[in-house]
Amino acid sequence: MTTYKSACPLNCWDSCGFEVEVENGKVIKIDGNKDHPITKGKICGRGRMLEARTNSHDRILHPLKKIDGVFQKISWEQALDEIAHKLTIIKEAYGTTAVFHSHDYANGGLLTKIPERFFNCYGGVTEIIGSICWGSGIEAQKWDFGNAASHAPEDIYNSKNVIIWGRNVSRTNMHLYGYLQDVKKKGTKIIVIDPIYNATAKMAHSYIPIKPGMDGFLAIGVMKEIIRLNKEDKHFIKNYTVGFSDLEELLDRVSIEFIETNTNVPRETITELAHVYSDGPTATYMGLGMQRYANGGNTIRLIDALVAISGNVGRPGGGANFGNLQVGQSFDSNALTLPSRKTNTRTFTMMQQAEGILSAIDPEIQMVMVSCGNPLTQVPDTSIVQKAFKSVQTIVVLEQFMTDTAKLADYVLPSATVFEEEDIYYSSMYHHYVNYGPKLVDPPGEVRSDVWIWTELAKRLGFGDDFNYTREEFIRMGLGELQEKDITLEKLREEHHLPLPVEHVPWHDYQFLTPSGKYEFTSTIGEEKGLDGHLKIVYPKESTFEDAVLAQNFPYSLLTIHPLRSNHSQHYHLIDSLQTVKVEISTDIAEDKGLNPNDKVRVYNERGEIIGKVQILKHSAPNIICIDEGQWHEFGGSVNQLTPNRVSDNGLGSTLYDCLVNIEKIMIEQ
Ligand SMILES: Nc1nc2c(c(=O)[nH]1)N[C@H]1C(S)=C(S)[C@@H](COP(=O)(O)OP(=O)(O)OC[C@H]3O[C@@H](n4cnc5c(=O)[nH]c(N)nc54)[C@H](O)[C@@H]3O)O[C@H]1N2
Ligand SMILES: Nc1nc2c(c(=O)[nH]1)N[C@H]1C(S)=C(S)[C@@H](COP(=O)(O)OP(=O)(O)OC[C@H]3O[C@@H](n4cnc5c(=O)[nH]c(N)nc54)[C@H](O)[C@@H]3O)O[C@H]1N2
Ligand code: SF4
Ligand SMILES: [Mo]
């Protein structure tokens, strides 16, 4: 048995360092790498279970083709020849944008950029813009600061107060949770703002059960109080910002009474938050939950504005921490993806890819290729997604398992896991270390790496020269100028992780990347895009404010948060106890509807329904129903049967949690 250092590939805040035990050519155990400066030997069950994912008997081991509705094994030659032939015909008859590439970010490896290279060299296909995950918040921070950049994890030791605003830290970002436990012992005050009382709320000094989608109003209230108390950072506002008078006007238009009534947060708490923000340094760690609303971009902008006026921007121990794009921006994406080779282009938003497919003309979509994604489970409004995918002539899915999406495919190409190929891994969400993942075992059966698959297709399509590189050469290409800073593949192989050259306290020099070079309360980028760059008063779409009739028929907010033990849809099939739908409800709903734990219920709205078993949320905002995302069809189905596919206010995010439902008990017949 030999132990190797490796890395977690899962789409997660934490990007952990691994130690992997290998025996007789098989991965047998995964543990944390104690030497990793941030993740320090601790990993979660999802990481550990990559062993089970790798060794599972359910792995797809051969190329498959659906013939008369049934999957049959075919050779790689046949699969690649047929797919390449179809791509050639489509290009000639309809143009390259008749192909749609559907993907997400299920793997944090650098070489997951290779499909983009493939599609650019092919001529440019219909591609996805925006992000179901964090799109609204990232765009919001680009408007405000010019980029989305977080403080380095260790900077939390400089914070006097930490606000965890809509991030389910103990579940989704376990190493931040570790830091919270540590700074709490040193006297740092921790406040959690979340509709649901989670394990992080339990360890915090105070918990604020906010009404879903109303965080922007809370930020407005806190800003009003800071100004009333004359505690705003006048020097920062005067010298380094634009649009403050627009913000002041907006604050005047909303009363504290309105905020109290509609956020579920009492005035004293709003005033206390004003003191906490102005008596910093106060770090704000925003999660992605609260920006998955129709007003999500504006919400993040209002929280950014609160961080800014309270003097917590560019200050050690402060920060408006959301994503950390600086990490991914360190790499040379263009060298890997060759954007200049693209001669045609068309885009669908991530959220409305299904509508895109259904409504595309000139050309209609002839083929969908899916990699690193499971849209049938993960993309909102499942019935439309299903209809769209079923309407397409040819679907090709690169997968490890027979997911709900793979089941709809015409060709399924078996794809390697993290331990079966060399790559380097990073996450642009939290810390700034890039981790090395060696090839540790051979892939089983006829499984091949995604890069091999794209390369073989490229050769058949006449642009093999663009793929005439080894994995090592591709990794070096992506490292680009980092190599001049001594971040080389050799060094990564030796050290297993290296820090990327990013700002640890972003904006400390107050040189913002916005068009004005200042922090922008009123955004030029927004205006340049033809949108209103002002901060606004906007509500969730599915709310009493926007649709009173809908809110009467469907009175409960459905939150569809990330599961504890699965990374999205990736672990449900491996853990028996996850294979039911759990419907968590707030105590007021339990009382109103006479529901008890384990009652069978139907949760429904105009888009769909899901059946599951009741659990009671001990403490939360009222009118909350929570169902974890990621469930497979065979185990009760994806909660996205209920979620809307509207795009968020700034056009690039999802509105997954901006979703009203009703609930009823299912009487079990005798
Ligand atoms: N265990 C586990 N960890 C994961 C993942 C996973 O699937 N499983 N996925 C990873 C990925 S891809 C991502 S994007 C991250 C996401 O990480 P998080 O942002 O932590 O997780 P989410 O589940 O998206 O939702 C976050 C929180 O938002 C709260 N919330 C919902 N609506 C509102 C609101 O209106 N206001 C406020 N204040 N809070 C609200 C929810 O109650 C929840 O606690 O997690 C990563 N880590
Ligand atoms: N209702 C609701 N829906 C959500 C969310 C929510 O909070 N609520 N969260 C959203 C968020 S934040 C995200 S990030 C998305 C995630 O959505 P997805 O990324 O689509 O979901 P996953 O289940 O992580 O992974 C998709 C598939 O990629 C495959 N895969 C893994 N590694 C590789 C690889 O190297 N190559 C190939 N070819 N395939 C691979 C896995 O086997 C898996 O089946 O879901 C979104 N959907
Ligand atoms: S899923 Fe996240 S927390 Fe778990 S091991 Fe992987 S990177 Fe670490
Ligand atoms: Mo995500």
Side-chain angles (χ1 to χ4, degrees):
M1 192 266 294
T2 317
T3 304
Y4 299 92
K5 303 260 196 302
S6 178
C8 186
L10 292 171
N11 185 1
C12 176
W13 296 96
D14 293 67
S15 204
C16 291
F18 277 171
E19 277 187 3
V20 180
E21 290 177 14
V22 177
E23 195 168 40
N24 299 328
K26 232 179 129 177
V27 169
I28 54 168
K29 190 169 177 234
I30 298 165
D31 235 315
N33 173 5
K34 294 187 185 62
D35 300 332
H36 194 285
I38 306 296
T39 65
K40 295 176 186 147
K42 292 203 173 122
I43 60 166
C44 77
R46 294 165 288 140
R48 277 180 213 289
M49 286 206 67
L50 289 170
E51 178 273 316
R53 270 186 73 86
T54 299
N55 295 323
S56 168
H57 295 302
D58 295 335
R59 281 280 297 271
I60 300 167
L61 298 179
H62 307 277
L64 301 173
K65 178 181 182 180
K66 200 180 272 162
I67 300 168
D68 297 331
V70 181
F71 280 119
Q72 316 226 337
K73 272 189 220 170
I74 57 170
S75 68
W76 272 111
E77 286 311 304
Q78 185 187 346
L80 295 163
D81 287 349
E82 287 184 12
I83 295 165
H85 181 67
K86 282 178 195 278
L87 283 165
T88 306
I89 303 272
I90 291 170
K91 186 172 180 170
E92 280 165 11
Y94 307 94
T96 53
T97 54
V99 175
F100 171 50
H101 179 213
S102 175
H103 67 94
D104 207 310
Y105 297 94
N107 176 329
L110 180 66
L111 298 195
T112 53
K113 293 188 190 299
I114 292 298
E116 219 176 313
R117 182 187 190 89
F118 174 85
F119 290 116
N120 287 341
C121 293
Y122 173 64
V125 293
T126 300
E127 55 189 270
I128 279 175
I129 51 162
S131 159
I132 203 171
C133 170
W134 63 359
S136 348
I138 291 288
E139 181 71 357
Q141 293 213 315
K142 286 186 177 168
W143 291 20
D144 297 338
F145 300 94
N147 199 14
S150 296
H151 288 221
E154 298 93 336
D155 182 59
I156 200 168
Y157 290 109
N158 296 316
S159 305
K160 189 168 171 190
N161 310 296
V162 175
I163 314 291
I164 302 296
W165 204 323
R167 192 183 301 187
N168 199 355
V169 175
S170 62
R171 187 186 279 205
T172 65
N173 187 186
M174 65 178 282
H175 296 92
L176 173 56
Y177 187 73
Y179 281 107
L180 289 181
Q181 286 175 312
D182 207 26
V183 298
K184 189 183 170 192
K185 284 186 215 137
K186 296 181 167 68
T188 304
K189 183 169 183 167
I190 299 165
I191 299 175
V192 168
I193 307 174
D194 200 299
I196 299 177
Y197 183 77
N198 48 36
T200 317
K202 203 167 171 186
M203 69 88 77
H205 294 93
S206 48
Y207 163 61
I208 302 173
I210 181 97
K211 187 171 158 63
M214 298 302 282
D215 303 81
F217 289 87
L218 177 58
I220 290 176
V222 181
M223 284 191 273
K224 282 173 80 78
E225 284 296 271
I226 288 175
I227 290 170
R228 184 182 66 81
L229 296 163
N230 198 23
K231 281 178 174 262
E232 72 275 22
D233 184 341
K234 297 184 185 65
H235 178 76
F236 177 76
I237 294 169
K238 178 160 179 274
N239 295 292
Y240 304 110
T241 73
V242 294
F244 183 65
S245 57
D246 292 344
L247 171 64
E248 284 182 303
E249 236 171 76
L250 175 100
L251 300 183
D252 286 343
R253 279 161 49 206
V254 194
S255 73
I256 288 281
E257 293 69 34
F258 177 87
I259 296 169
E260 275 194 288
T261 317
N262 291 293
T263 59
N264 195 43
V265 183
R267 186 191 185 115
E268 309 79 72
T269 308
I270 299 172
T271 311
E272 191 202 321
L273 278 172
H275 286 291
V276 166
Y277 266 98
S278 42
D279 182 18
T282 298
T284 305
Y285 287 88
M286 291 178 260
L288 311 187
M290 69 187 156
Q291 44 98 61
R292 298 196 188 113
Y293 291 83
N295 58 349
N298 194 60
T299 298
I300 299 297
R301 294 198 67 210
L302 285 166
I303 297 173
D304 287 347
L306 164 58
V307 175
I309 73 155
S310 61
N312 285 297
V313 165
R315 177 186 193 185
N321 303 292
F322 180 73
N324 203 5
L325 288 190
Q326 334 173 62
V327 177
Q329 287 160 351
S330 307
F331 299 94
D332 193 344
S333 293
N334 285 353
L336 278 178
T337 60
L338 297 178
S340 61
R341 298 290 307 277
K342 172 161 64 179
T343 45
N344 300 305
T345 184
R346 176 167 64 184
T347 55
F348 294 161
T349 61
M350 176 98 196
M351 284 59 64
Q352 298 190 337
Q353 52 185 285
E355 271 83 354
I357 293 171
L358 290 168
S359 62
I361 43 167
D362 221 9
E364 289 177 17
I365 296 296
Q366 303 295 322
M367 185 191 284
V368 179
M369 298 190 83
V370 184
S371 64
C372 283
N374 183 8
L376 258 292
T377 312
Q378 296 306 124
V379 170
D381 211 343
T382 313
S383 64
I384 299 184
V385 182
Q386 199 159 27
K387 185 171 166 203
F389 275 67
K390 281 186 174 162
S391 76
V392 176
Q393 189 87 37
T394 307
I395 295 180
V396 178
V397 177
L398 280 63
E399 250 303 347
Q400 298 159 351
F401 289 91
M402 196 44 83
T403 60
D404 290 343
T405 306
K407 281 181 188 152
L408 279 191
D410 299 286
Y411 295 89
V412 183
L413 305 180
S415 161
T417 69
V418 53
F419 309 118
E420 295 158 1
E421 56 186 20
E422 182 181 41
D423 206 345
I424 58 175
Y425 298 87
Y426 61 91
S427 156
S428 291
M429 295 174 81
Y430 181 50
H431 69 71
H432 55 280
Y433 284 80
V434 54
N435 302 331
Y436 175 68
K439 178 177 174 184
L440 298 179
V441 295
D442 287 327
E446 293 183 277
V447 169
R448 296 285 184 274
S449 77
D450 287 22
V451 173
W452 182 88
I453 299 171
W454 298 116
T455 302
E456 287 300 315
L457 286 172
K459 282 188 205 160
R460 285 164 172 78
L461 286 159
F463 49 90
D465 282 353
D466 294 301
F467 280 76
N468 197 11
Y469 300 94
T470 61
R471 282 190 85 84
E472 290 184 3
E473 286 168 332
F474 274 134
I475 294 173
R476 288 201 179 96
M477 213 182 261
L479 283 169
E481 287 177 8
L482 287 172
Q483 297 172 106
E484 286 152 34
K485 296 177 182 147
D486 211 20
I487 301 177
T488 59
L489 181 56
E490 287 64 36
K491 201 156 171 211
L492 278 161
R493 282 176 176 158
E494 239 166 73
E495 310 254 329
H496 314 294
H497 43 255
L498 289 172
L500 293 164
V502 303
E503 292 289 358
H504 289 206
V505 178
W507 322 119
H508 60 89
D509 53 4
Y510 299 151
Q511 303 286 307
F512 296 98
L513 294 175
T514 54
S516 65
K518 304 215 168 178
Y519 180 95
E520 295 194 0
F521 293 111
T522 300
S523 164
T524 323
I525 297 178
E527 272 153 22
E528 282 171 359
K529 289 192 171 178
L531 296 162
D532 183 355
H534 289 83
L535 289 163
K536 289 186 282 293
I537 296 172
V538 271
Y539 304 95
K541 182 80 183 150
E542 301 203 355
S543 65
T544 42
F545 303 103
E546 293 287 334
D547 192 339
V549 176
L550 184 85
Q552 202 171 9
N553 294 337
F554 302 100
Y556 307 123
S557 292
L558 176 68
L559 304 183
T560 58
I561 67 175
H562 294 199
L564 173 65
R565 297 178 65 203
S566 182
N567 222 66
H568 306 296
S569 66
Q570 295 200 43
H571 296 75
Y572 283 89
H573 60 309
L574 303 169
I575 306 176
D576 290 349
S577 61
L578 295 188
Q579 293 165 3
T580 57
V581 175
K582 175 182 72 176
V583 180
E584 296 176 288
I585 59 173
S586 52
T587 49
D588 57 306
I589 301 179
E591 275 161 33
D592 288 356
K593 298 269 178 178
L595 293 171
N596 293 304
N598 292 321
D599 279 352
K600 198 170 172 192
V601 284
R602 187 171 84 96
V603 180
Y604 62 98
N605 61 19
E606 284 162 352
R607 288 175 288 269
E609 66 168 34
I610 194 161
I611 288 166
K613 272 193 181 169
V614 166
Q615 287 187 10
I616 315 280
L617 290 165
K618 283 197 200 92
H619 192 16
S620 70
N623 299 322
I624 303 284
I625 298 184
C626 180
I627 301 176
D628 288 351
E629 51 105 344
Q631 188 60 278
W632 293 41
H633 180 71
E634 63 187 288
F635 308 129
S638 168
V639 74
N640 281 321
Q641 293 169 101
L642 298 167
T643 54
N645 64 5
R646 296 182 192 101
V647 290
S648 64
D649 46 0
N650 58 28
L652 296 177
S654 64
T655 62
L656 293 165
Y657 298 2
D658 193 342
C659 177
L660 290 177
V661 293
N662 210 334
I663 186 169
E664 68 183 15
K665 188 167 170 167
I666 297 179
M667 297 300 175
I668 298 165
E669 282 162 31
Q670 297 298 318

